[in-house]
Amino acid sequence: MTNRIKQVVFPVLAAATLALLVTSAQPSSAAVKAADAKSLYAQQCAACHALDGSGNTAAGKKMNVRAFNTPEVQKLTDAKLLEIITKGKDKMPAFGSKNSAEDNKQLAAYVRSLGKK
């Protein structure tokens, strides 16, 4: 190869390889959403519902929250879970104005996953 070709080809190949490595190292958007929902749940829900969704916390026991794996909670539709998260229920505050609609949807999916454990 001539020096001119080497000066052009090698930097282009190096940049393409680097770009491929950077993009392949990124987690999938589904994994990011799941991690975000888990973090949001820990911040906004776990004080009452516990990290595992059991409701086994001082606040959860005081308010008689239901574990997510109970038949009563498991029979709720995804839409109903989302409505409860968005509008609140009984002593549970509403998160419709605190979170984006997408965050609340991911939170509902995360709550559903806790109930299946």
Side-chain angles (χ1 to χ4, degrees):
M1 284 190 175
T2 67
N3 281 341
R4 181 69 184 139
I5 293 174
K6 288 179 184 176
Q7 288 174 341
V8 172
V9 172
F10 288 133
V12 170
L13 286 175
T17 302
L18 182 60
L20 181 61
L21 288 173
V22 168
T23 57
S24 65
Q26 299 296 320
S28 71
S29 63
V32 169
K33 287 179 182 178
D36 290 347
K38 183 177 181 178
S39 175
L40 191 60
Y41 176 87
Q43 293 169 20
Q44 296 179 339
C45 311
C48 296
H49 293 282
L51 285 172
D52 64 358
S54 67
N56 193 17
T57 66
K61 290 175 185 175
K62 183 178 179 181
M63 291 187 282
N64 197 29
V65 300
R66 288 161 187 82
F68 295 144
N69 64 352
T70 62
E72 181 181 355
V73 175
Q74 284 300 299
K75 73 178 181 181
L76 296 174
T77 65
D78 291 344
K80 186 64 177 174
L81 279 176
L82 182 58
E83 178 185 329
I84 292 168
I85 291 168
T86 304
K87 297 180 179 178
K89 181 179 179 183
D90 300 327
K91 294 181 182 179
M92 183 180 139
F95 290 96
S97 62
K98 296 177 183 172
N99 302 332
S100 71
E102 181 62 26
D103 283 346
N104 284 337
K105 185 176 177 182
Q106 293 299 321
L107 198 52
Y110 184 73
V111 165
R112 175 72 68 205
S113 75
L114 287 176
K116 293 179 180 179
K117 291 184 179 181

